[in-house]
Amino acid sequence: MDQYVVRAVQGDEWEKVKELRIAALRDPAAPVAFLETLAQAESRPDEFWRDRAQGASHGRHARQFVAEAPDGQWAGSVTVLVEEGGTADFFERAVERTQGHVVGVFVRAEQRGTGVTDALFTAALDWAWSLEGPALERVRLFVHEDNPRAGAFYRRFGFRASGQAVPVPVPVAVPVAGDAGAKEFEYVISRP
């Protein structure tokens, strides 16, 4: 892990943001890890990727962190979205408190188990806890019921199951997970 630099993406790195997302969606775990298909991502115009990189590079709304190798290749990524209290989330449920929402967790297969994921989560949570006006009370994420490996990592890192579950969105559940009744379980970690 020592050879990697963990940092926030820069607004002009849209091509690398796109490449890493496409790699993530080609991963065998993608059907239970992401709420997007490879075909959807590949069909998006360059402007989408430019906006995504720019939006995750600065400000309070979102931040994407990457682990960059000395040769410039990105080994993995984690994104934190800020959900303000009183708004609605991706699942169209009311957001009761200001919180972070971790999404887009991916580490290339050859880098798993090397500490890259831990380093990405440390950077993401450090950023989340540094926010003020208002401060985030907690950070959450959702894990598909058929993704026990991810659930085990999140628990080891300090996240706990909240007892809340949501159905995988129907447009995604059928083509991706193959089970329209699939569930995503919420995991949370409170502000230290």
Side-chain angles (χ1 to χ4, degrees), residues 82-154:
V82 174
E83 297 174 325
E84 301 291 348
T87 63
D89 66 12
F90 177 81
F91 298 103
E92 298 181 8
R93 296 177 357 163
V95 175
E96 296 175 7
R97 63 185 64 88
T98 300
Q99 61 192 6
H101 187 158
V102 173
V103 298
V105 177
F106 174 69
V107 172
R108 294 181 194 272
E110 61 273 16
Q111 300 306 324
R112 293 176 190 155
T114 65
V116 168
T117 311
D118 289 87
L120 286 165
F121 264 75
T122 297
L125 289 177
D126 285 350
W127 177 79
W129 302 140
S130 76
L131 295 176
E132 297 176 354
L136 305 186
E137 295 180 30
R138 69 181 194 162
V139 172
R140 70 177 180 160
L141 53 82
F142 287 88
V143 61
H144 193 283
E145 64 187 343
D146 293 333
N147 198 351
R149 183 171 188 240
F153 171 81
Y154 302 141

Side-chain angles (χ1 to χ4, degrees), residues 39-58:
Q40 288 169 326
E42 288 179 330
S43 70
R44 297 190 190 283
D46 289 347
E47 190 61 32
F48 170 87
W49 298 104
R50 284 186 186 96
D51 290 347
R52 188 174 197 157
Q54 186 64 31
S57 68
H58 68 283

Side-chain angles (χ1 to χ4, degrees), residues 125 129 137-139 157-160 187-191:
L125 289 177
W129 302 140
E137 295 180 30
R138 69 181 194 162
V139 172
F157 203 81
F159 284 82
R160 297 291 171 247
Y187 282 69
V188 299
I189 190 168
S190 297
R191 182 178 194 80

